[in-house]
Amino acid sequence: AVLVVIVLLAAFSVWAVIDGGAQLYLQRFFDGITNGLLYGLAALSLVIVFKATGIINFAQGPMAMLGCYLALTVLEMWPMPVLPAIVIAMVVSGLGGAVLERVLIRPFDPDNHMAIIIVTLALFLGFNALAALVWGFRPLSFPSPFPQGTADAIEIAGARLSYQAIGTALLVVGAVVVLELVLNRTRLGLSFRCVANDVANSRLLGIDIGRTVQFSWALAAAVGTLGACLIAPSTYVDPGFMNKILVYAFAAATLGGLDSIRGALAGGLLTGLSVSLVTGYLPGVGSELGLVVGFAMIIAVLQFKPAGLFGNRAMERV
C-alpha cells in the first residue's frame, strides 16, 4: 500500500512538472510538506488518545484552539518571546487536559465508547462557544516564532522556502523526537505503551489505567496546542480556525493508522502533499475545495486500507 501511494505521487509529480514547470511544482511541494508536518502534529494528538482509549477525541481541535488563545493572552499580559509563551500554554493545556479526563471522561465505562464520543462532541460545541464568549469572533493575528518577512527565505530552483517553514519543520521534528523519548524512555511512557497494547493485561500487571489515560489526554492537549500555535501565524485565530485543520488531521491519522504515532506524521506529510498538488493542478479543484480532498482521502482509506498504511490489524476470535 505504501508503495502504491509513492508510485501515484511520483507519477502525479512527473505530470505536474511537465504541465506547469519545475519551479511551480517545487513551490507547491514545499507548501505541501510544511502544511503536512502541521497536519501530522495535529493527527498525533488524535492518535495519542486513540491508542490509550480506542476513541476519537472530536474535541481535540477546539482544545488546541483554546491553547492558542491562551498563548495570545500570555503574550498580552507579559511581554515575552513567542516560544516561551507557547511553552506556558502547552503546560497549562496539558493540565487542563488531565483535569478534563478526570472530571468528564473517567466516570464513564471505558468500554462504552459511544458515550465518551458523545461527550467529546459536546465538548467540541462547548469549547467553540466558550472561546466566542471570552474572546469574541474577531479574527486575531498570532506572531510567528520565526522570521517571516518577504526577504526571510531561501531560493531553490526559483522556489521560495521561508525561514518560518524551515523553523516550523525543525520544531515539529523536535517535538516528535521528544515524544518518542518520553514514550520509550520513561516509566509513564512504558505504562502508556502497555495500556495501548492490552488494557486487561496492563490491569493485571498493576498499571494504573486511569492515571495512564489521564497522561494521554494531557500529552495530546499539549501537542495540540503546539500545533495550533504553529498553524496560527499563517491564518487568523478565531473560535473555528482549527475545525478545518481537524478534518486534515483526521485524514492524516486515518491514512497513517490511528494506532501508529509515526504513521500520524507520515500520513500528515502525504495529506499535505496530496491537498497541495491536487488543488494546485487539477482543473476545477481550487484551494476552497481542499476539505473535499481531505474527506475523499478518509473515505478511500477506510474503503481499501482500514488500518491505515502503518496501523496494525486487530485480530479477533470468532
Side-chain angles (χ1 to χ4, degrees):
V2 176
L3 182 60
V4 169
V5 172
I6 293 175
V7 169
L8 288 175
L9 275 177
F12 193 95
S13 298
V14 171
W15 174 81
V17 171
I18 296 174
D19 181 66
Q23 179 179 343
L24 179 61
Y25 172 79
L26 272 179
Q27 189 63 62
R28 287 172 175 164
F29 179 84
F30 291 153
D31 294 340
I33 289 292
T34 304
N35 293 334
L37 286 171
L38 295 175
Y39 300 157
L41 195 61
L44 195 57
S45 61
L46 294 172
V47 169
I48 290 172
V49 172
F50 184 85
K51 282 181 69 68
T53 63
I55 67 165
I56 295 292
N57 179 17
F58 287 94
Q60 188 60 57
M63 288 170 62
M65 173 266 299
L66 288 178
C68 186
Y69 269 118
L70 180 60
L72 268 179
T73 304
V74 170
L75 288 171
E76 291 176 357
M77 295 177 62
W78 301 289
M80 63 175 67
V82 179
L83 281 178
I86 294 176
V87 172
I88 294 173
M90 290 174 63
V91 172
V92 176
S93 297
L95 294 175
V99 172
L100 194 67
E101 188 279 333
R102 183 65 183 87
V103 175
L104 296 179
I105 303 299
R106 197 178 304 183
F108 289 91
D109 181 0
D111 294 325
N112 189 358
H113 290 175
M114 182 58 68
I116 299 176
I117 289 176
I118 290 175
V119 171
T120 64
L121 287 172
L123 291 174
F124 175 93
L125 298 174
F127 285 153
N128 280 328
L130 177 63
L133 181 65
V134 175
W135 289 282
F137 290 99
R138 181 172 59 90
L140 302 175
S141 61
F142 192 94
S144 173
F146 310 106
Q148 56 177 352
T150 55
D152 295 322
I154 60 175
E155 286 197 7
I156 302 176
R160 290 172 54 84
L161 183 60
S162 66
Y163 294 155
Q164 180 181 352
I166 296 173
T168 297
L170 293 175
L171 196 55
V172 170
V173 172
V176 173
V177 170
V178 171
L179 182 62
E180 285 283 346
L181 291 176
V182 169
L183 295 181
N184 292 307
R185 303 294 182 181
T186 65
R187 186 179 182 86
L188 197 55
L190 177 62
S191 299
F192 173 83
R193 288 186 288 124
C194 288
V195 171
N197 287 330
D198 195 315
V199 176
N201 285 336
S202 299
R203 188 176 286 112
L204 292 175
L205 291 172
I207 295 175
D208 189 337
I209 305 299
R211 181 187 175 195
T212 305
V213 173
Q214 187 179 45
F215 166 73
S216 72
W217 277 78
L219 192 59
V223 171
T225 295
L226 175 61
C229 291
L230 293 178
I231 292 168
S234 59
T235 180
Y236 288 100
V237 181
D238 59 48
F241 90 99
M242 282 298 293
N243 294 343
K244 181 178 179 179
I245 304 299
L246 189 61
V247 175
Y248 294 134
F250 280 136
T254 307
L255 179 60
L258 279 166
D259 60 350
S260 174
I261 288 179
R262 296 177 182 177
L265 191 61
L269 289 172
L270 291 174
T271 300
L273 277 175
S274 300
V275 172
S276 178
L277 294 178
V278 169
T279 58
Y281 283 99
L282 289 187
V285 182
S287 58
E288 64 276 3
L289 294 180
L291 284 179
V292 176
V293 178
F295 280 117
M297 293 182 66
I298 294 174
I299 294 172
V301 173
L302 292 178
Q303 181 70 28
F304 299 105
K305 186 71 173 175
L309 298 178
F310 302 96
N312 298 316
R313 290 184 177 181
M315 304 294 291
E316 294 185 4
R317 188 184 300 276
V318 296

